[in-house]
């Protein structure tokens, strides 16, 4: 018997796995719903229900078996969560807000309605409408086109710079944004507790791998002035107040070359930009999420030590059973914390794990991070 209610998580990917790891010290009982019986969380729980979190019946039935529900992926069946909520089940984050976040167009409308600083945008039902807007001079190149739904990790986002790029326009409903002149990409993970208190992690800085369009390096803290760091946190708090959801909200931001801070998008769950918090902060983002949704006091988010996080991605030309070349050498390095997600199959640029490097000197941590990336190769 646990002291805590039974917590059901929709999704058993790496975020689900790390939520279970954070739940263990408090003996919080976790149940997972995921379509893949060998998902990363499966090794960590005997309470795995195999089923699709996008399917109404699967979510509704799973919801009946737990006391509190949360998510580790946005693309879940909202109708089932709304029904469970109506029947008195505790669901965090609020599914009505997740529904807005699921759709990049609705998310932008939400920012606009709440006067949250973000780039200018228009939404279009299809490619033809985008072309018509260009023809009518209502839209100018260059711009960024994003699928309104079902994009993931940079897939579903493209920069359209020239007339020749117009051939590649997405056919599906899309959001078209001004191309921001980005100086740095930042993220602030913010949490609202039950009684309304709002606690932020420090702003972190993300460097992207342009080929994979995935975060390659994350630096904590971000190399920005105190004024920008404060501005980033203030903006994240504003966003958190507007959404008013219990649980984590990761707020992705752009620092423009002109010194403006703009909101790019949000994720209502643990986020890639908070992985380092497991070793680098007094409270990890995972434990913070659990504390928030279970009405417990929020933890101290201060950094214990500067950190660099690198994602471990599948090598470009390898698909098949995963092998980790260079793992021993990485494990020999001091201050290097390796997380492998246990995914059986590697694919080009698939997120197979991450590594956090702690060092009192962030520059030294960066050096080690580069070494780690040189050493560790996920191949088939
Ligand atoms: P995803 O949901 O796939 O993470 P994002 O909206 O975060 O998509 O976009 C992925 C990346 O594309 C961003 O991290 C950034 O590098 C680039 N990007 C997105 N929007 C813009 C923009 N308006 N201007 C310039 N670059 C952008």
């Amino acid at each position: 018997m646990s002291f805590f209610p039974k917590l059901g998580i929709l999704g058993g990917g790496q975020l689900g796995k790390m939520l279970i790891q954070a739940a263990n010290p408090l003996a919080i009982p976790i149940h997972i719903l995921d379509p893949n019986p060998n998902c990363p969380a499966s090794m960590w729980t005997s309470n795995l229900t195999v089923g699709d979190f996008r399917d109404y019946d699967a979510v509704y039935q799973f919801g009946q078996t737990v006391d509190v529900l949360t998510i580790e992926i946005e693309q879940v069946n909202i109708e089932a969560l709304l029904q469970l909520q109506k029947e008195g089940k505790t669901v965090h984050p609020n599914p009505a807000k997740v529904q807005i976040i699921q759709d990049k167009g609705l998310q932008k409308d939400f920012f606009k309605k709440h006067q949250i600083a973000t780039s200018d945008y228009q939404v279009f039902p299809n490619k033809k409408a985008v072309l018509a807007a260009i023809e009518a001079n209502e839209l100018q190149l260059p711009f960024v086109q994003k699928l309104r739904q079902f994009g993931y990790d940079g897939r579903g986002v493209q920069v359209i710079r020239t007339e020749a790029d117009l051939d590649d326009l997405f056919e599906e409903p899309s959001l078209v944004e001004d191309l921001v002149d980005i100086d740095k990409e930042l993220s602030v993970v913010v949490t609202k507790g039950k009684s309304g208190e709002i606690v932020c992690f420090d702003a972190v800085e993300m460097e992207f791998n342009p080929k994979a369009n995935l975060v390659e390096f994350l630096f904590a803290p971000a190399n920005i002035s105190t004024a920008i760091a404060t501005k980033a946190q203030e903006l994240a708090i504003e966003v958190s107040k507007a959404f008013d959801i219990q649980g984590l909200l990761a707020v992705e931001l752009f620092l423009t070359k002109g010194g403006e801070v703009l909101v790019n998008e949000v994720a209502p769950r643990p986020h890639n930009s908070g992985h380092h918090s497991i070793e680098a902060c007094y409270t990890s983002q995972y434990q913070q999420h659990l504390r928030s949704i279970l009405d417990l006091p929020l933890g101290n988010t201060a950094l214990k030590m500067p950190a660099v996080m690198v994602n471990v991605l599948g090598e470009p030309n390898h698909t098949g059973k995963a092998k980790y070349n260079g793992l021993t050498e990485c494990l020999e390095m001091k201050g290097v914390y390796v997380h492998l997600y246990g995914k059986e199959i590697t694919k080009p640029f698939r997120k197979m794990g991450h590594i956090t490097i702690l060092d009192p000197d962030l520059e030294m941590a960066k050096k080690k991070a580069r070494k780690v990336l040189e050493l560790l190769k996920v191949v088939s």
Side-chain angles (χ1 to χ4, degrees):
M1 252 315 265
S2 169
F3 171 75
F4 293 102
K6 265 194 219 168
L7 175 61
I9 304 177
L10 304 187
Q14 60 263 24
L15 302 175
K17 173 193 171 196
M18 289 184 271
L19 278 169
I20 298 177
Q21 290 170 323
N24 282 346
L26 288 174
I28 298 166
I30 303 270
H31 294 243
I32 297 275
L33 176 70
D34 196 279
N36 176 4
N38 301 315
C39 62
S42 65
M43 268 187 246
W44 293 81
T45 180
S46 45
N47 304 315
L48 171 69
T49 303
V50 177
D52 192 343
F53 41 72
R54 287 161 299 195
D55 177 73
Y56 182 96
D57 291 332
V59 172
Y60 183 74
Q61 277 157 25
F62 175 72
Q64 304 290 346
T65 66
V66 298
D67 303 312
V68 177
L69 273 158
T70 193
I71 59 171
E72 61 97 83
I73 182 164
E74 288 94 313
Q75 304 304 339
V76 295
N77 191 289
I78 297 292
E79 282 67 34
L81 289 179
L82 287 169
Q83 183 58 32
L84 287 160
Q85 199 182 36
K86 214 195 275 170
E87 291 172 14
K89 196 72 71 180
T90 304
V91 185
H92 294 307
N94 185 347
K97 300 291 169 50
V98 179
Q99 195 163 32
I100 295 171
I101 294 169
Q102 278 182 347
D103 179 329
K104 286 183 191 253
L106 295 181
Q107 219 188 109
K108 281 290 240 192
D109 290 344
F110 184 88
F111 296 152
K112 193 171 167 192
K113 182 171 156 210
H114 291 268
Q115 296 176 321
I116 290 162
T118 191
S119 60
D120 285 340
Y121 70 100
Q122 300 180 51
V123 290
F124 293 100
N126 50 39
K127 178 173 174 174
K128 214 171 118 198
V130 180
L131 291 171
I134 295 172
E135 190 68 30
N137 235 350
E138 289 158 9
L139 177 64
Q140 278 83 35
L141 296 169
F143 57 75
V144 180
Q145 188 193 25
K146 302 181 178 184
L147 290 181
R148 287 185 65 161
Q149 276 189 290
F150 311 120
Y152 192 67
D153 279 343
R155 283 188 288 274
V157 175
Q158 59 178 349
V159 181
I160 303 291
R161 291 182 194 277
T162 64
E163 302 242 327
D165 293 341
L166 294 175
D167 285 347
D168 301 333
L169 280 171
F170 297 131
E171 294 285 354
E172 299 98 316
S174 69
L175 164 73
V176 166
E177 291 181 0
D178 284 357
L179 179 67
V180 177
D181 202 5
I182 299 172
D183 180 19
K184 285 176 192 286
E185 299 202 32
L186 308 174
S187 167
V188 173
V189 173
V190 58
T191 319
K192 188 175 149 292
K194 183 182 166 55
S195 54
E197 74 276 26
I198 295 179
V199 176
C200 289
F201 284 84
D202 284 330
V204 298
E205 181 179 341
M206 296 170 292
E207 218 173 81
F208 278 73
N209 171 332
K211 248 195 255 156
N213 205 5
L214 284 171
V215 175
E216 187 155 39
F217 292 103
L218 175 134
F219 307 121
N223 182 19
I224 49 177
S225 66
T226 314
I228 297 290
T230 307
K231 204 163 153 186
Q233 286 194 331
E234 282 170 358
L235 195 48
I237 290 169
E238 200 185 316
V239 175
S240 169
K241 282 186 179 156
F243 275 107
D244 188 29
I245 48 180
Q246 236 175 292
L248 291 189
L249 191 67
V251 183
E252 292 182 27
L253 304 159
F254 296 140
L255 171 61
T256 70
K257 295 230 167 95
E260 252 187 310
V261 184
L262 302 176
V263 175
N264 173 29
E265 62 170 5
V266 298
R269 51 165 172 80
H271 193 250
N272 196 262
S273 66
H275 287 342
H276 68 288
S277 62
I278 296 174
E279 286 92 8
C281 298
Y282 288 95
T283 308
S284 76
Q285 64 163 348
Y286 301 97
Q287 173 134 145
Q288 193 77 319
H289 185 66
L290 297 171
R291 283 172 177 245
S292 170
I293 63 176
L294 296 175
D295 300 342
L296 301 168
L298 297 183
N300 174 5
T301 55
L303 262 183
K304 289 192 269 190
M305 209 185 276
V308 176
M309 190 280 300
V310 292
N311 283 312
V312 176
L313 305 178
E315 283 293 301
N317 298 314
H318 291 260
T319 300
K321 220 169 158 39
K323 286 192 295 235
Y324 299 87
N325 291 346
L327 183 59
T328 314
E329 290 85 340
C330 289
L331 291 171
E332 275 165 3
M333 291 168 72
K334 267 203 187 134
V336 171
Y337 299 87
V338 180
H339 293 250
L340 298 180
Y341 301 150
K343 295 177 186 176
E344 201 186 341
I345 302 295
T346 183
K347 293 179 200 162
F349 303 116
R350 188 174 192 200
K351 281 185 190 161
M352 301 301 285
H354 76 263
I355 300 182
T356 298
I357 298 114
L358 297 189
D359 199 290
D361 175 1
L362 191 63
E363 286 308 314
M364 183 54 79
K366 282 184 196 174
K367 245 191 213 162
K368 281 190 195 168
R370 287 200 186 92
K371 183 86 198 152
V372 159
L373 283 184
E374 260 169 48
L375 286 171
L376 191 62
K377 301 287 173 207
V378 190
V379 296
S380 55

